[in-house]
Amino acid sequence: MIRFCNDYSEGCHPSILEAMAQANLEGNPGYSTDSHTAHAKELICAAAQCPDADVHIMVGGTQTNTVALSAFLRPWEAAIAADTGHICVHETGAIEASGHKCIPCPNVDGKLTPDAVRKAYAEHNCVHMPLPALVYISQTTELGTLYTFDELKALRQVCDELGLIFYIDGARLGSALATQQITLPQLAQVADAFYIGGTKNGALFGEALVICNDRLKEGFRYNIKQRGALLAKGWMLAVQFEVLMQNDMQLFIELGRHANEQSLRLRDGIAALGYEFTNHSDSNQQFVIFPDAVVAALENDFGFEAQYKPDDTHTVERLVTSWGTRPEDVDAFLSALADVTTKLK
Amino acid sequence: MIRFCNDYSEGCHPSILEAMAQANLEGNPGYSTDSHTAHAKELICAAAQCPDADVHIMVGGTQTNTVALSAFLRPWEAAIAADTGHICVHETGAIEASGHKCIPCPNVDGKLTPDAVRKAYAEHNCVHMPLPALVYISQTTELGTLYTFDELKALRQVCDELGLIFYIDGARLGSALATQQITLPQLAQVADAFYIGGTKNGALFGEALVICNDRLKEGFRYNIKQRGALLAKGWMLAVQFEVLMQNDMQLFIELGRHANEQSLRLRDGIAALGYEFTNHSDSNQQFVIFPDAVVAALENDFGFEAQYKPDDTHTVERLVTSWGTRPEDVDAFLSALADVTTKLK
Amino acid sequence: MIRFCNDYSEGCHPSILEAMAQANLEGNPGYSTDSHTAHAKELICAAAQCPDADVHIMVGGTQTNTVALSAFLRPWEAAIAADTGHICVHETGAIEASGHKCIPCPNVDGKLTPDAVRKAYAEHNCVHMPLPALVYISQTTELGTLYTFDELKALRQVCDELGLIFYIDGARLGSALATQQITLPQLAQVADAFYIGGTKNGALFGEALVICNDRLKEGFRYNIKQRGALLAKGWMLAVQFEVLMQNDMQLFIELGRHANEQSLRLRDGIAALGYEFTNHSDSNQQFVIFPDAVVAALENDFGFEAQYKPDDTHTVERLVTSWGTRPEDVDAFLSALADVTTKLK
Amino acid sequence: MIRFCNDYSEGCHPSILEAMAQANLEGNPGYSTDSHTAHAKELICAAAQCPDADVHIMVGGTQTNTVALSAFLRPWEAAIAADTGHICVHETGAIEASGHKCIPCPNVDGKLTPDAVRKAYAEHNCVHMPLPALVYISQTTELGTLYTFDELKALRQVCDELGLIFYIDGARLGSALATQQITLPQLAQVADAFYIGGTKNGALFGEALVICNDRLKEGFRYNIKQRGALLAKGWMLAVQFEVLMQNDMQLFIELGRHANEQSLRLRDGIAALGYEFTNHSDSNQQFVIFPDAVVAALENDFGFEAQYKPDDTHTVERLVTSWGTRPEDVDAFLSALADVTTKLK
């Protein structure tokens, strides 16, 4: 079966495994106090043009989001997010488990809008409701869409107006940067904190949290340890980011670009066959509205993920590409889809 | 100013203060191990026809809901509630602070429907989402509406089907029972646990949680203590329920009936003047759609609470009556409203 | 049975019930936004000579401690306390349930010493251990002893040195102040926050938390609400403190003095009969080392609480007096003890 | 510098990196639903002779302990542990952060005794104290000592008597099993749950939690996910345990044996030079009481970790060996120590 189910079916880029093998028996101090971690931090700060940021590498998005938000928020404070946001939907209530409500706002193409933030803030106007204190977005979003720099600046402005922390979940930041519609320094300019997702863009495990706002830095390593996210062998995470981030993020961008290219080939090929999408996506996720008969004809040979049924005869399916997606697999899918389309006419 | 702002502006029914004065210097063992507590429990179990239930008297609705739900739910379990439900809206994220997500469902006249429960349960279908484990409703609801016995039985059935706990917030149960459309034994028959609200129906402070389901009883007193809800002088809460519940809840029902009667006088009087309501209510809360000019003309002399603006020129206002509402205050309001109505025509 | 079991067996001083009756039907705004609360705050700030403090009245010590510490501490921060401290021993892990470790230190006569604080702080010296951030003491202590002003200043100095918050649990502050060895302004001068215990000194329910340190004030009411500690009828708590605190705390001191006087009569009478104490106490608790035969001879007629067995034939028993203890009950006890003593010789 | 600082300075055994490289591009389903995970589980269950156990592989000891204990305990329940236990000392209050008190008991050579458990249980005897519900031990202990099978059975019996869960932290289980004084099936026979530590015995990252008691299994994967411990690429953890556990744990035991052998060479060599130990250890940790002059003479060339000063002129130092410790490094240490010893005489 050819899988477009997700972007974490493969392990890591071979050059990362090589670097890990090389560092394997060096003998490094534990708990991210080693020189690889320091070097990865330097590379990341340089690439993001935020020399004073703190960088902490953890394992996995849910962990990173929980460690960050639980450190940033006071007990009665809440996070504002799009109702499609990962923390609202797919983290088993991890943010709530750390004591904080996620306030879901209606999304526009998977994005949170300044107006939605203002409205949520205005509605939470007394001590009988949690105090909104943080804006959470994902870049790219869970629907594959991308915030433009203008959109990010507009959200930053709302945060400044209302005294909110601006946090960006970068599980798919590789795909976002590879679109060339946004840069890492732009992200660092608007965000109080964000993370660079390794797991979905070439690393084995690893997300690098970048804390730009000084106020949010204090005591953070305690929170990492307390929540079980401080690895004894932290240097083995750092090594991966050394590889991805060296030469101004060359490999990180390259892998994101490959994923995007295959995704756009899927998108354009599918569109050419007359199918529609829930929204436009330039990134590595496509959400197609397929007739159920098409799904039935393809699902034995190709893996993709059903989202919901917009009506009785159609299903929205998610197709995801990754740094490891083979072009010939995209060809195979498009060819099979063309066949099915002809047959079902 | 004549207030219809809420149902907790007064202290308690005078007979309760008298009973408290009588018990004041008796010398009772602490932490609800006294005979008043035992007697209150007996009266409540008898009235609810659930002889084996556990009864715990606490102070305040948010406290009772939090102590109950945090004891009933495992860490990864969530509560399903109407989006107007008190735990979703007006408890400052207390349930989330205890680690549990509240899943808000679209309400129908303030009520949660079996279909909404089924849909929420079906959508939470994998380990990446919290596991729905409890259905929360308020009787009467936050919009003043009432679940009929048939509606309650239908919710019970969904809970049985899906293995959910059925919990009923009875902050305004006095008003509910006083409608005579539902009885306490009926409630105890369908619910795994519910509470009888004293604060809003004649008591000074006090909510009596009734746990019908044996599985939910174990260790509960530890949770009360841990969450700061076990009063040293618990008998002073119990005394209040002794008064309210004696003679088959005579005073409790009487006070609820008084509140409802004044509310219905308001309702019918307002309707007769041509104003509309967001929904029909037989209980002690009415939600009226007033032109803003009417609000402006009344708000200096009468207290009520703005909810939201359905359009640019109207506001939904909540009017609440209580056991202490004076009939002449209702008269005064209706008369003032009649004047304003004539004037503004 | 004559009880010296605790100081919360009676309800409240009759003048408090009277004041509550008077305020009962006034019609007050809810959630401690009323004028009684404002007035109680004024009286407390004046008595403590800290005009800018915030005052929040809650119900019960465990609740007050939990709401305070959970607001004051960041997630990875811990409280340092004597191993006899209430938060370490008798709150069912409430502080831990709010996420914070209590670091128990060896007590000296129930007190925490500056050296013990320094040692605990020094031992918690890396991210693998929680960060000590708050010093908790009880005044008077759980063993009936009292911190002198010099001792409090020494603890304040350690807190300043190490950047710790100084928090004082005043469940039995009435007894402490009534010794005339410490004053309320002295307490307010050293503490970042403390509470004035009403429940154990004449009030029905109620503890008044005083936050002196500006940094700890922000958002506090949200935390009160979130933890179920914001009473709808908050004015009924405030009324009690109005009575206790008026005329420069006249009644509050008077009630504490009565309790202490009866306790000292017990102490001196028991000592005169040749029995020893675990430690000297000028406050309303005495810890006597009784032969088991004495206990057996008295326990049917008198209530007191066994603490532990220092050897096979003795038990340490706690005797507690209160504002409601009758002098003739003390006489009866001493007389019975004298008889038993003679008999057993 | 030659390091005996810890057992996680190296990455992983080369054969593990090879296996990871082989599985790298296979394309596996995510979140531990893959065949490697199933196979690792089979191998572990076979080795432990508990065919019906659940196995969950996580990353790191603090994470594993927290996910396990927070799932096993009700909110008001506490864990009993030796005061040297990892959860009491070196997890930044992670268990408390999940809401549960750790009750520290005086250790005997780093071990928890049945008597200590009984005493702790007896002392927590009312709702004002958390309810002890779980016994936590580490095998080997934090002091390098080992529970014999008889000692484990005695603890099991106490757990049965008192209704406690028996949980064994196996961060250093490799070293324990390699002593041949205890077997994995024996462990599985007494424990309700335990984990097999990979990180400190040849794996890159990874701890395999084994849940033997059916009652503790339900919903566990939700808790893993909620606490950020469910890896997208879980198969990459499983692959490591496939290597370690194949052929009846051949590599796992072999690596532990190597560590122990080097540790015993250190121990016997040091003892031969006349130095004493805080306690006897057959495992990979030795705690030596060195004169400070010896420490000063060695610490530039050798890494070890100061524990505490038993008097003014001595320091207890921990020396740890691992699967990667080179015999020649042990030789070098013993030779240097011999020189220093001679010189300082």
Side-chain angles (χ1 to χ4, degrees), chain D:
Chain D
M1 176 183 278
I2 293 172
R3 294 175 188 279
F4 300 103
C5 300
N6 60 52
D7 32 17
Y8 44 79
S9 288
E10 286 87 23
C12 61
H13 190 266
S15 67
I16 282 182
L17 264 189
E18 275 166 42
M20 291 172 75
Q22 221 162 345
N24 191 41
L25 300 181
E26 284 176 1
N28 274 294
Y31 300 109
S32 299
T33 60
D34 62 283
S35 60
H36 291 287
T37 299
H39 185 220
K41 176 182 183 308
E42 263 171 50
L43 291 170
I44 288 168
C45 287
Q49 296 175 10
C50 51
D52 298 328
D54 274 4
V55 175
H56 303 284
I57 309 180
M58 287 175 270
V59 176
T62 298
Q63 181 178 91
T64 305
N65 288 337
T66 309
V67 174
L69 268 60
S70 67
F72 297 164
L73 297 173
R74 304 289 305 272
W76 51 87
E77 293 181 342
I80 295 175
D83 52 7
T84 43
H86 207 251
I87 57 167
C88 289
V89 184
H90 277 124
E91 302 194 347
T92 317
I95 302 303
E96 289 87 354
S98 79
H100 304 282
K101 182 164 182 159
C102 297
I103 302 172
C105 296
N107 75 87
V108 176
D109 281 343
K111 297 188 211 170
L112 185 65
T113 64
D115 280 355
V117 174
R118 276 195 190 89
K119 186 158 180 285
Y121 188 86
E123 283 171 1
H124 289 75
N125 57 1
C126 64
V127 295
H128 298 268
M129 312 184 88
L131 181 65
L134 181 144
V135 164
Y136 166 98
I137 67 164
S138 307
Q139 175 80 316
T140 65
T141 73
E142 293 74 10
L143 301 191
T145 51
L146 186 89
Y147 291 87
T148 64
F149 187 38
D150 279 347
E151 288 171 332
L152 293 176
K153 282 189 291 187
L155 285 167
R156 172 75 265 169
Q157 195 182 324
V158 181
C159 288
D160 286 341
E161 275 171 45
L162 305 178
L164 307 175
I165 296 163
F166 191 13
Y167 175 83
I168 302 178
D169 179 329
R172 293 195 173 94
L173 195 55
S175 178
L177 297 180
T179 64
Q180 295 191 287
Q181 299 176 31
I182 186 82
T183 69
L184 196 61
Q186 287 173 336
L187 216 79
Q189 186 183 324
V190 297
D192 291 297
F194 65 95
Y195 80 81
I196 302 172
T199 299
K200 288 172 175 161
N201 199 38
L204 191 56
F205 321 112
E207 326 295 318
L209 179 71
V210 182
I211 307 181
C212 310
N213 183 333
D214 285 348
R215 189 173 64 80
L216 304 178
K217 292 174 179 175
E218 198 188 340
F220 198 85
R221 264 171 64 82
Y222 286 93
N223 210 37
I224 299 177
K225 171 63 187 174
Q226 190 184 68
R227 295 186 172 271
L230 190 63
L231 283 199
K233 300 174 188 170
W235 77 88
M236 275 298 203
L237 298 177
V239 159
Q240 304 182 50
F241 278 90
E242 286 183 290
V243 175
L244 290 169
M245 291 293 135
Q246 69 193 347
N247 302 327
D248 201 22
M249 308 194 286
Q250 187 188 324
L251 183 61
F252 190 68
I253 298 293
E254 197 176 299
L255 297 179
R257 193 178 301 136
H258 176 86
N260 287 0
E261 280 169 3
Q262 301 314 313
S263 176
L264 269 52
R265 290 186 59 225
L266 276 176
R267 180 189 72 186
D268 296 344
I270 292 168
L273 291 166
Y275 300 101
E276 300 208 331
F277 295 77
T278 59
N279 49 260
H280 178 82
S281 162
D282 292 333
S283 77
N284 73 322
Q285 298 187 89
Q286 300 296 338
F287 292 79
V288 198
I289 307 163
F290 276 135
D292 291 343
V294 168
V295 173
L298 292 174
E299 69 189 355
N300 287 330
D301 297 324
F302 299 94
F304 35 73
E305 201 183 84
Q307 304 295 303
Y308 61 91
K309 292 189 67 57
D311 61 39
D312 281 355
T313 59
H314 291 76
T315 302
V316 172
E317 300 283 350
R318 184 181 74 156
L319 283 89
V320 190
T321 57
S322 81
W323 63 272
T325 299
R326 299 184 309 170
E328 56 266 38
D329 287 348
V330 171
D331 295 339
F333 181 84
L334 291 175
S335 158
L337 181 59
D339 287 354
V340 168
T341 305
T342 310
K343 221 173 288 172
L344 290 176
K345 262 188 187 151

Side-chain angles (χ1 to χ4, degrees), chain A residues 8 75-76 87-93 95-102 104 124 126-131, chain B residues 8 75-76 87-93 95-102 104 124 126-131:
Chain A
Y8 45 78
W76 52 88
I87 57 169
C88 290
V89 183
H90 277 124
E91 302 194 347
T92 318
I95 302 303
E96 289 86 356
S98 78
H100 304 283
K101 181 163 182 161
C102 297
H124 288 75
C126 65
V127 297
H128 298 268
M129 311 183 90
L131 181 64
Chain B
Y8 45 79
W76 52 87
I87 57 168
C88 290
V89 183
H90 277 125
E91 302 193 348
T92 317
I95 303 304
E96 288 86 355
S98 78
H100 304 282
K101 181 162 182 162
C102 297
H124 289 74
C126 65
V127 295
H128 298 268
M129 312 184 87
L131 182 65

Side-chain angles (χ1 to χ4, degrees), chain A residues 5-25:
Chain A
C5 300
N6 60 52
D7 32 17
Y8 45 78
S9 287
E10 285 87 24
C12 60
H13 191 264
S15 66
I16 282 182
L17 263 190
E18 276 168 41
M20 290 173 74
Q22 220 163 347
N24 191 41
L25 300 180

